[in-house]
Amino acid sequence: MATATLGTDISPFRRWLARSRAWISLLIMAPVAFAVLFSRPRMGSLGLDVSSEIVGGALFAAGAFVRWWATLYIGGQKTTRVICEGPYSVCRNPLYVGTFLMTLSIICQLMSLSLAAAFLLATVWYLATTVSYEERNLRRIFGDEFVAYQNRVPRFWPNFALYRTPVTLSVKVEGLAAEARRMLRWGALPLAGILLMQLRGQTWWPVWFNLP
């Protein structure tokens, strides 16, 4: 995820929390993910396995599209000006929305309520320790211009009535290249979800836990 440099007026502990947010989120999810991996799928008997793969694939595609769309506008420019066009005209954090959708895709594929709950908890933690600090830093850099943008555009839930975009768009190649490298890693996510779901359905796969 692209992030702005945290302001120097934030305490060292809070800066550490923000910088460690990804690892802490993984620590929240890892024990549940491990237990779910070695639990028998509960929803396959209801005939939902194929549907979950379709929905998971759709969520991943939607998330990838949102991230690419946002990168066209903000790639390499986050701290140079207030980005308020395209996806940033309807939502202040479209990159996070895209990441949320892509991560949710594997939760859907694994069909686990326990993992979904852990994912939501980790997401709340991640965003609570990230977005407020980033926006505080952007207010420090851009002042009233960013405050006006905050007051006009919702943080996460898009308001498409606010949509606006310039006729031409200047794109930084390094921003697109960085996102392409991230997508190479993200691309393994749906494949991993399909593989893990198939493994969990095998009779020889160990079942050590009983998480829904």
PDB file of all heavy atoms in Angstrom, residues 130-159:
ATOM      1  N   THR A 130      -3.400   3.687  10.449  1.00  0.00           N
ATOM      2  CA  THR A 130      -2.749   4.166   9.232  1.00  0.00           C
ATOM      3  C   THR A 130      -3.360   5.445   8.698  1.00  0.00           C
ATOM      4  O   THR A 130      -2.681   6.464   8.540  1.00  0.00           O
ATOM      5  CB  THR A 130      -2.792   3.090   8.128  1.00  0.00           C
ATOM      6  OG1 THR A 130      -2.157   1.904   8.590  1.00  0.00           O
ATOM      7  CG2 THR A 130      -2.081   3.577   6.869  1.00  0.00           C
ATOM      8  N   VAL A 131      -4.651   5.398   8.407  1.00  0.00           N
ATOM      9  CA  VAL A 131      -5.274   6.490   7.670  1.00  0.00           C
ATOM     10  C   VAL A 131      -5.241   7.801   8.441  1.00  0.00           C
ATOM     11  O   VAL A 131      -4.922   8.859   7.883  1.00  0.00           O
ATOM     12  CB  VAL A 131      -6.723   6.114   7.291  1.00  0.00           C
ATOM     13  CG1 VAL A 131      -7.429   7.297   6.640  1.00  0.00           C
ATOM     14  CG2 VAL A 131      -6.714   4.922   6.336  1.00  0.00           C
ATOM     15  N   SER A 132      -5.535   7.758   9.740  1.00  0.00           N
ATOM     16  CA  SER A 132      -5.543   9.005  10.506  1.00  0.00           C
ATOM     17  C   SER A 132      -4.166   9.653  10.534  1.00  0.00           C
ATOM     18  O   SER A 132      -4.032  10.879  10.450  1.00  0.00           O
ATOM     19  CB  SER A 132      -6.036   8.747  11.935  1.00  0.00           C
ATOM     20  OG  SER A 132      -5.181   7.827  12.595  1.00  0.00           O
ATOM     21  N   TYR A 133      -3.089   8.813  10.616  1.00  0.00           N
ATOM     22  CA  TYR A 133      -1.737   9.349  10.623  1.00  0.00           C
ATOM     23  C   TYR A 133      -1.360   9.917   9.254  1.00  0.00           C
ATOM     24  O   TYR A 133      -0.732  10.963   9.150  1.00  0.00           O
ATOM     25  CB  TYR A 133      -0.734   8.266  11.029  1.00  0.00           C
ATOM     26  CG  TYR A 133      -0.913   7.801  12.451  1.00  0.00           C
ATOM     27  CD1 TYR A 133      -1.082   6.455  12.742  1.00  0.00           C
ATOM     28  CD2 TYR A 133      -0.922   8.710  13.499  1.00  0.00           C
ATOM     29  CE1 TYR A 133      -1.255   6.025  14.045  1.00  0.00           C
ATOM     30  CE2 TYR A 133      -1.088   8.282  14.809  1.00  0.00           C
ATOM     31  CZ  TYR A 133      -1.256   6.944  15.076  1.00  0.00           C
ATOM     32  OH  TYR A 133      -1.421   6.522  16.367  1.00  0.00           O
ATOM     33  N   GLU A 134      -1.721   9.221   8.216  1.00  0.00           N
ATOM     34  CA  GLU A 134      -1.436   9.720   6.873  1.00  0.00           C
ATOM     35  C   GLU A 134      -2.139  11.051   6.627  1.00  0.00           C
ATOM     36  O   GLU A 134      -1.555  11.985   6.080  1.00  0.00           O
ATOM     37  CB  GLU A 134      -1.876   8.689   5.837  1.00  0.00           C
ATOM     38  CG  GLU A 134      -1.004   7.454   5.790  1.00  0.00           C
ATOM     39  CD  GLU A 134      -1.377   6.549   4.627  1.00  0.00           C
ATOM     40  OE1 GLU A 134      -2.393   6.835   3.966  1.00  0.00           O
ATOM     41  OE2 GLU A 134      -0.643   5.585   4.392  1.00  0.00           O
ATOM     42  N   GLU A 135      -3.405  11.120   7.040  1.00  0.00           N
ATOM     43  CA  GLU A 135      -4.156  12.347   6.799  1.00  0.00           C
ATOM     44  C   GLU A 135      -3.636  13.489   7.669  1.00  0.00           C
ATOM     45  O   GLU A 135      -3.637  14.656   7.246  1.00  0.00           O
ATOM     46  CB  GLU A 135      -5.643  12.090   7.027  1.00  0.00           C
ATOM     47  CG  GLU A 135      -6.219  11.131   5.988  1.00  0.00           C
ATOM     48  CD  GLU A 135      -7.717  11.049   6.013  1.00  0.00           C
ATOM     49  OE1 GLU A 135      -8.335  11.407   7.055  1.00  0.00           O
ATOM     50  OE2 GLU A 135      -8.309  10.631   4.988  1.00  0.00           O
ATOM     51  N   ARG A 136      -3.186  13.161   8.859  1.00  0.00           N
ATOM     52  CA  ARG A 136      -2.574  14.192   9.698  1.00  0.00           C
ATOM     53  C   ARG A 136      -1.320  14.760   9.032  1.00  0.00           C
ATOM     54  O   ARG A 136      -1.075  15.962   9.041  1.00  0.00           O
ATOM     55  CB  ARG A 136      -2.221  13.589  11.062  1.00  0.00           C
ATOM     56  CG  ARG A 136      -1.642  14.573  12.058  1.00  0.00           C
ATOM     57  CD  ARG A 136      -1.453  13.894  13.402  1.00  0.00           C
ATOM     58  NE  ARG A 136      -0.890  14.780  14.394  1.00  0.00           N
ATOM     59  CZ  ARG A 136      -0.692  14.446  15.662  1.00  0.00           C
ATOM     60  NH1 ARG A 136      -1.033  13.239  16.077  1.00  0.00           N
ATOM     61  NH2 ARG A 136      -0.169  15.310  16.517  1.00  0.00           N
ATOM     62  N   ASN A 137      -0.534  13.879   8.433  1.00  0.00           N
ATOM     63  CA  ASN A 137       0.677  14.320   7.746  1.00  0.00           C
ATOM     64  C   ASN A 137       0.336  15.147   6.506  1.00  0.00           C
ATOM     65  O   ASN A 137       0.989  16.162   6.212  1.00  0.00           O
ATOM     66  CB  ASN A 137       1.521  13.105   7.347  1.00  0.00           C
ATOM     67  CG  ASN A 137       2.912  13.491   6.905  1.00  0.00           C
ATOM     68  OD1 ASN A 137       3.578  14.278   7.574  1.00  0.00           O
ATOM     69  ND2 ASN A 137       3.350  12.969   5.784  1.00  0.00           N
ATOM     70  N   LEU A 138      -0.696  14.735   5.769  1.00  0.00           N
ATOM     71  CA  LEU A 138      -1.106  15.484   4.586  1.00  0.00           C
ATOM     72  C   LEU A 138      -1.677  16.851   4.959  1.00  0.00           C
ATOM     73  O   LEU A 138      -1.493  17.833   4.229  1.00  0.00           O
ATOM     74  CB  LEU A 138      -2.123  14.674   3.777  1.00  0.00           C
ATOM     75  CG  LEU A 138      -1.547  13.411   3.111  1.00  0.00           C
ATOM     76  CD1 LEU A 138      -2.665  12.563   2.510  1.00  0.00           C
ATOM     77  CD2 LEU A 138      -0.524  13.785   2.046  1.00  0.00           C
ATOM     78  N   ARG A 139      -2.353  16.938   6.099  1.00  0.00           N
ATOM     79  CA  ARG A 139      -2.808  18.257   6.570  1.00  0.00           C
ATOM     80  C   ARG A 139      -1.625  19.151   6.892  1.00  0.00           C
ATOM     81  O   ARG A 139      -1.650  20.371   6.646  1.00  0.00           O
ATOM     82  CB  ARG A 139      -3.700  18.101   7.806  1.00  0.00           C
ATOM     83  CG  ARG A 139      -5.097  17.581   7.514  1.00  0.00           C
ATOM     84  CD  ARG A 139      -6.037  17.800   8.688  1.00  0.00           C
ATOM     85  NE  ARG A 139      -5.561  17.144   9.906  1.00  0.00           N
ATOM     86  CZ  ARG A 139      -5.870  15.912  10.248  1.00  0.00           C
ATOM     87  NH1 ARG A 139      -6.635  15.166   9.462  1.00  0.00           N
ATOM     88  NH2 ARG A 139      -5.422  15.394  11.372  1.00  0.00           N
ATOM     89  N   ARG A 140      -0.568  18.540   7.461  1.00  0.00           N
ATOM     90  CA  ARG A 140       0.631  19.311   7.767  1.00  0.00           C
ATOM     91  C   ARG A 140       1.290  19.840   6.496  1.00  0.00           C
ATOM     92  O   ARG A 140       1.781  20.972   6.453  1.00  0.00           O
ATOM     93  CB  ARG A 140       1.623  18.442   8.552  1.00  0.00           C
ATOM     94  CG  ARG A 140       2.922  19.128   8.930  1.00  0.00           C
ATOM     95  CD  ARG A 140       3.850  18.168   9.672  1.00  0.00           C
ATOM     96  NE  ARG A 140       4.195  17.012   8.872  1.00  0.00           N
ATOM     97  CZ  ARG A 140       5.163  17.010   7.946  1.00  0.00           C
ATOM     98  NH1 ARG A 140       5.859  18.110   7.715  1.00  0.00           N
ATOM     99  NH2 ARG A 140       5.422  15.917   7.273  1.00  0.00           N
ATOM    100  N   ILE A 141       1.275  19.018   5.440  1.00  0.00           N
ATOM    101  CA  ILE A 141       1.933  19.407   4.198  1.00  0.00           C
ATOM    102  C   ILE A 141       1.100  20.401   3.399  1.00  0.00           C
ATOM    103  O   ILE A 141       1.613  21.417   2.913  1.00  0.00           O
ATOM    104  CB  ILE A 141       2.215  18.146   3.337  1.00  0.00           C
ATOM    105  CG1 ILE A 141       3.207  17.228   4.057  1.00  0.00           C
ATOM    106  CG2 ILE A 141       2.762  18.533   1.958  1.00  0.00           C
ATOM    107  CD1 ILE A 141       3.378  15.883   3.371  1.00  0.00           C
ATOM    108  N   PHE A 142      -0.194  20.129   3.271  1.00  0.00           N
ATOM    109  CA  PHE A 142      -1.029  20.903   2.345  1.00  0.00           C
ATOM    110  C   PHE A 142      -1.984  21.874   3.033  1.00  0.00           C
ATOM    111  O   PHE A 142      -2.603  22.697   2.347  1.00  0.00           O
ATOM    112  CB  PHE A 142      -1.836  19.956   1.453  1.00  0.00           C
ATOM    113  CG  PHE A 142      -0.970  19.064   0.597  1.00  0.00           C
ATOM    114  CD1 PHE A 142      -0.910  17.698   0.833  1.00  0.00           C
ATOM    115  CD2 PHE A 142      -0.210  19.594  -0.424  1.00  0.00           C
ATOM    116  CE1 PHE A 142      -0.117  16.874   0.054  1.00  0.00           C
ATOM    117  CE2 PHE A 142       0.586  18.773  -1.216  1.00  0.00           C
ATOM    118  CZ  PHE A 142       0.635  17.414  -0.977  1.00  0.00           C
ATOM    119  N   GLY A 143      -2.138  21.783   4.356  1.00  0.00           N
ATOM    120  CA  GLY A 143      -2.938  22.753   5.090  1.00  0.00           C
ATOM    121  C   GLY A 143      -4.406  22.765   4.706  1.00  0.00           C
ATOM    122  O   GLY A 143      -5.048  21.712   4.563  1.00  0.00           O
ATOM    123  N   ASP A 144      -4.951  23.965   4.507  1.00  0.00           N
ATOM    124  CA  ASP A 144      -6.384  24.142   4.268  1.00  0.00           C
ATOM    125  C   ASP A 144      -6.860  23.440   3.001  1.00  0.00           C
ATOM    126  O   ASP A 144      -8.030  23.038   2.924  1.00  0.00           O
ATOM    127  CB  ASP A 144      -6.726  25.629   4.182  1.00  0.00           C
ATOM    128  CG  ASP A 144      -6.570  26.338   5.525  1.00  0.00           C
ATOM    129  OD1 ASP A 144      -6.538  25.637   6.558  1.00  0.00           O
ATOM    130  OD2 ASP A 144      -6.470  27.578   5.533  1.00  0.00           O
ATOM    131  N   GLU A 145      -5.976  23.297   2.020  1.00  0.00           N
ATOM    132  CA  GLU A 145      -6.380  22.628   0.782  1.00  0.00           C
ATOM    133  C   GLU A 145      -6.788  21.185   1.059  1.00  0.00           C
ATOM    134  O   GLU A 145      -7.804  20.697   0.546  1.00  0.00           O
ATOM    135  CB  GLU A 145      -5.247  22.670  -0.240  1.00  0.00           C
ATOM    136  CG  GLU A 145      -5.610  22.059  -1.581  1.00  0.00           C
ATOM    137  CD  GLU A 145      -4.455  22.046  -2.568  1.00  0.00           C
ATOM    138  OE1 GLU A 145      -3.341  22.442  -2.172  1.00  0.00           O
ATOM    139  OE2 GLU A 145      -4.670  21.613  -3.715  1.00  0.00           O
ATOM    140  N   PHE A 146      -6.008  20.493   1.899  1.00  0.00           N
ATOM    141  CA  PHE A 146      -6.356  19.114   2.206  1.00  0.00           C
ATOM    142  C   PHE A 146      -7.551  19.044   3.154  1.00  0.00           C
ATOM    143  O   PHE A 146      -8.379  18.139   3.042  1.00  0.00           O
ATOM    144  CB  PHE A 146      -5.167  18.373   2.822  1.00  0.00           C
ATOM    145  CG  PHE A 146      -5.434  16.910   3.032  1.00  0.00           C
ATOM    146  CD1 PHE A 146      -5.410  16.027   1.969  1.00  0.00           C
ATOM    147  CD2 PHE A 146      -5.757  16.415   4.298  1.00  0.00           C
ATOM    148  CE1 PHE A 146      -5.676  14.677   2.148  1.00  0.00           C
ATOM    149  CE2 PHE A 146      -6.037  15.076   4.486  1.00  0.00           C
ATOM    150  CZ  PHE A 146      -5.992  14.199   3.405  1.00  0.00           C
ATOM    151  N   VAL A 147      -7.666  19.984   4.083  1.00  0.00           N
ATOM    152  CA  VAL A 147      -8.817  20.017   4.989  1.00  0.00           C
ATOM    153  C   VAL A 147     -10.103  20.161   4.186  1.00  0.00           C
ATOM    154  O   VAL A 147     -11.106  19.489   4.459  1.00  0.00           O
ATOM    155  CB  VAL A 147      -8.679  21.160   6.008  1.00  0.00           C
ATOM    156  CG1 VAL A 147      -9.970  21.316   6.809  1.00  0.00           C
ATOM    157  CG2 VAL A 147      -7.505  20.902   6.952  1.00  0.00           C
ATOM    158  N   ALA A 148     -10.099  21.037   3.177  1.00  0.00           N
ATOM    159  CA  ALA A 148     -11.285  21.208   2.331  1.00  0.00           C
ATOM    160  C   ALA A 148     -11.605  19.911   1.585  1.00  0.00           C
ATOM    161  O   ALA A 148     -12.775  19.528   1.443  1.00  0.00           O
ATOM    162  CB  ALA A 148     -11.051  22.344   1.340  1.00  0.00           C
ATOM    163  N   TYR A 149     -10.569  19.226   1.143  1.00  0.00           N
ATOM    164  CA  TYR A 149     -10.769  17.941   0.464  1.00  0.00           C
ATOM    165  C   TYR A 149     -11.358  16.914   1.423  1.00  0.00           C
ATOM    166  O   TYR A 149     -12.283  16.167   1.067  1.00  0.00           O
ATOM    167  CB  TYR A 149      -9.423  17.467  -0.087  1.00  0.00           C
ATOM    168  CG  TYR A 149      -9.430  16.069  -0.653  1.00  0.00           C
ATOM    169  CD1 TYR A 149     -10.167  15.771  -1.798  1.00  0.00           C
ATOM    170  CD2 TYR A 149      -8.697  15.048  -0.046  1.00  0.00           C
ATOM    171  CE1 TYR A 149     -10.171  14.486  -2.322  1.00  0.00           C
ATOM    172  CE2 TYR A 149      -8.686  13.763  -0.575  1.00  0.00           C
ATOM    173  CZ  TYR A 149      -9.429  13.492  -1.710  1.00  0.00           C
ATOM    174  OH  TYR A 149      -9.426  12.227  -2.231  1.00  0.00           O
ATOM    175  N   GLN A 150     -10.854  16.860   2.656  1.00  0.00           N
ATOM    176  CA  GLN A 150     -11.401  15.953   3.672  1.00  0.00           C
ATOM    177  C   GLN A 150     -12.884  16.215   3.917  1.00  0.00           C
ATOM    178  O   GLN A 150     -13.679  15.283   4.074  1.00  0.00           O
ATOM    179  CB  GLN A 150     -10.657  16.125   4.995  1.00  0.00           C
ATOM    180  CG  GLN A 150      -9.367  15.361   5.116  1.00  0.00           C
ATOM    181  CD  GLN A 150      -8.804  15.471   6.515  1.00  0.00           C
ATOM    182  OE1 GLN A 150      -8.470  16.566   6.969  1.00  0.00           O
ATOM    183  NE2 GLN A 150      -8.688  14.352   7.197  1.00  0.00           N
ATOM    184  N   ASN A 151     -13.238  17.473   3.995  1.00  0.00           N
ATOM    185  CA  ASN A 151     -14.624  17.835   4.289  1.00  0.00           C
ATOM    186  C   ASN A 151     -15.566  17.530   3.131  1.00  0.00           C
ATOM    187  O   ASN A 151     -16.769  17.363   3.336  1.00  0.00           O
ATOM    188  CB  ASN A 151     -14.710  19.319   4.635  1.00  0.00           C
ATOM    189  CG  ASN A 151     -14.019  19.653   5.950  1.00  0.00           C
ATOM    190  OD1 ASN A 151     -13.884  18.789   6.813  1.00  0.00           O
ATOM    191  ND2 ASN A 151     -13.562  20.885   6.089  1.00  0.00           N
ATOM    192  N   ARG A 152     -15.009  17.437   1.922  1.00  0.00           N
ATOM    193  CA  ARG A 152     -15.848  17.255   0.737  1.00  0.00           C
ATOM    194  C   ARG A 152     -16.009  15.787   0.345  1.00  0.00           C
ATOM    195  O   ARG A 152     -17.083  15.370  -0.091  1.00  0.00           O
ATOM    196  CB  ARG A 152     -15.231  18.036  -0.432  1.00  0.00           C
ATOM    197  CG  ARG A 152     -16.061  17.988  -1.713  1.00  0.00           C
ATOM    198  CD  ARG A 152     -15.459  18.858  -2.809  1.00  0.00           C
ATOM    199  NE  ARG A 152     -14.240  18.286  -3.382  1.00  0.00           N
ATOM    200  CZ  ARG A 152     -13.014  18.739  -3.154  1.00  0.00           C
ATOM    201  NH1 ARG A 152     -12.830  19.784  -2.354  1.00  0.00           N
ATOM    202  NH2 ARG A 152     -11.962  18.174  -3.713  1.00  0.00           N
ATOM    203  N   VAL A 153     -14.952  14.980   0.513  1.00  0.00           N
ATOM    204  CA  VAL A 153     -14.930  13.625  -0.032  1.00  0.00           C
ATOM    205  C   VAL A 153     -14.923  12.610   1.111  1.00  0.00           C
ATOM    206  O   VAL A 153     -14.143  12.745   2.058  1.00  0.00           O
ATOM    207  CB  VAL A 153     -13.686  13.429  -0.930  1.00  0.00           C
ATOM    208  CG1 VAL A 153     -13.616  12.006  -1.460  1.00  0.00           C
ATOM    209  CG2 VAL A 153     -13.719  14.427  -2.083  1.00  0.00           C
ATOM    210  N   PRO A 154     -15.763  11.565   1.046  1.00  0.00           N
ATOM    211  CA  PRO A 154     -15.782  10.559   2.119  1.00  0.00           C
ATOM    212  C   PRO A 154     -14.478   9.781   2.194  1.00  0.00           C
ATOM    213  O   PRO A 154     -13.754   9.650   1.203  1.00  0.00           O
ATOM    214  CB  PRO A 154     -16.954   9.650   1.730  1.00  0.00           C
ATOM    215  CG  PRO A 154     -17.170   9.880   0.277  1.00  0.00           C
ATOM    216  CD  PRO A 154     -16.768  11.291   0.002  1.00  0.00           C
ATOM    217  N   ARG A 155     -14.177   9.250   3.373  1.00  0.00           N
ATOM    218  CA  ARG A 155     -12.907   8.553   3.600  1.00  0.00           C
ATOM    219  C   ARG A 155     -12.831   7.238   2.842  1.00  0.00           C
ATOM    220  O   ARG A 155     -11.829   6.947   2.192  1.00  0.00           O
ATOM    221  CB  ARG A 155     -12.713   8.311   5.099  1.00  0.00           C
ATOM    222  CG  ARG A 155     -11.465   7.521   5.433  1.00  0.00           C
ATOM    223  CD  ARG A 155     -11.261   7.425   6.933  1.00  0.00           C
ATOM    224  NE  ARG A 155     -10.583   8.606   7.461  1.00  0.00           N
ATOM    225  CZ  ARG A 155     -10.262   8.751   8.744  1.00  0.00           C
ATOM    226  NH1 ARG A 155     -10.596   7.814   9.622  1.00  0.00           N
ATOM    227  NH2 ARG A 155      -9.640   9.831   9.141  1.00  0.00           N
ATOM    228  N   PHE A 156     -13.880   6.404   2.916  1.00  0.00           N
ATOM    229  CA  PHE A 156     -13.839   5.091   2.271  1.00  0.00           C
ATOM    230  C   PHE A 156     -15.018   4.848   1.338  1.00  0.00           C
ATOM    231  O   PHE A 156     -14.827   4.449   0.197  1.00  0.00           O
ATOM    232  CB  PHE A 156     -13.803   3.968   3.324  1.00  0.00           C
ATOM    233  CG  PHE A 156     -12.572   3.969   4.164  1.00  0.00           C
ATOM    234  CD1 PHE A 156     -12.647   4.233   5.524  1.00  0.00           C
ATOM    235  CD2 PHE A 156     -11.329   3.713   3.608  1.00  0.00           C
ATOM    236  CE1 PHE A 156     -11.510   4.242   6.305  1.00  0.00           C
ATOM    237  CE2 PHE A 156     -10.184   3.724   4.384  1.00  0.00           C
ATOM    238  CZ  PHE A 156     -10.275   3.991   5.738  1.00  0.00           C
ATOM    239  N   TRP A 157     -16.236   5.044   1.838  1.00  0.00           N
ATOM    240  CA  TRP A 157     -17.415   4.715   1.035  1.00  0.00           C
ATOM    241  C   TRP A 157     -17.578   5.738  -0.083  1.00  0.00           C
ATOM    242  O   TRP A 157     -17.742   6.915   0.173  1.00  0.00           O
ATOM    243  CB  TRP A 157     -18.664   4.691   1.913  1.00  0.00           C
ATOM    244  CG  TRP A 157     -19.822   4.050   1.236  1.00  0.00           C
ATOM    245  CD1 TRP A 157     -20.873   4.680   0.637  1.00  0.00           C
ATOM    246  CD2 TRP A 157     -20.059   2.652   1.068  1.00  0.00           C
ATOM    247  NE1 TRP A 157     -21.746   3.772   0.106  1.00  0.00           N
ATOM    248  CE2 TRP A 157     -21.260   2.506   0.356  1.00  0.00           C
ATOM    249  CE3 TRP A 157     -19.351   1.503   1.442  1.00  0.00           C
ATOM    250  CZ2 TRP A 157     -21.789   1.261   0.019  1.00  0.00           C
ATOM    251  CZ3 TRP A 157     -19.875   0.267   1.105  1.00  0.00           C
ATOM    252  CH2 TRP A 157     -21.079   0.158   0.410  1.00  0.00           C
ATOM    253  N   PRO A 158     -17.513   5.315  -1.357  1.00  0.00           N
ATOM    254  CA  PRO A 158     -17.499   6.287  -2.462  1.00  0.00           C
ATOM    255  C   PRO A 158     -18.831   7.009  -2.654  1.00  0.00           C
ATOM    256  O   PRO A 158     -19.902   6.430  -2.464  1.00  0.00           O
ATOM    257  CB  PRO A 158     -17.165   5.420  -3.678  1.00  0.00           C
ATOM    258  CG  PRO A 158     -17.615   4.037  -3.305  1.00  0.00           C
ATOM    259  CD  PRO A 158     -17.400   3.922  -1.829  1.00  0.00           C
ATOM    260  N   ASN A 159     -18.716   8.260  -3.041  1.00  0.00           N
ATOM    261  CA  ASN A 159     -19.880   9.065  -3.436  1.00  0.00           C
ATOM    262  C   ASN A 159     -19.672   9.442  -4.900  1.00  0.00           C
ATOM    263  O   ASN A 159     -18.981  10.405  -5.219  1.00  0.00           O
ATOM    264  CB  ASN A 159     -19.983  10.312  -2.560  1.00  0.00           C
ATOM    265  CG  ASN A 159     -21.172  11.185  -2.933  1.00  0.00           C
ATOM    266  OD1 ASN A 159     -21.901  10.884  -3.883  1.00  0.00           O
ATOM    267  ND2 ASN A 159     -21.374  12.260  -2.194  1.00  0.00           N
TER     268      ASN A 159
END
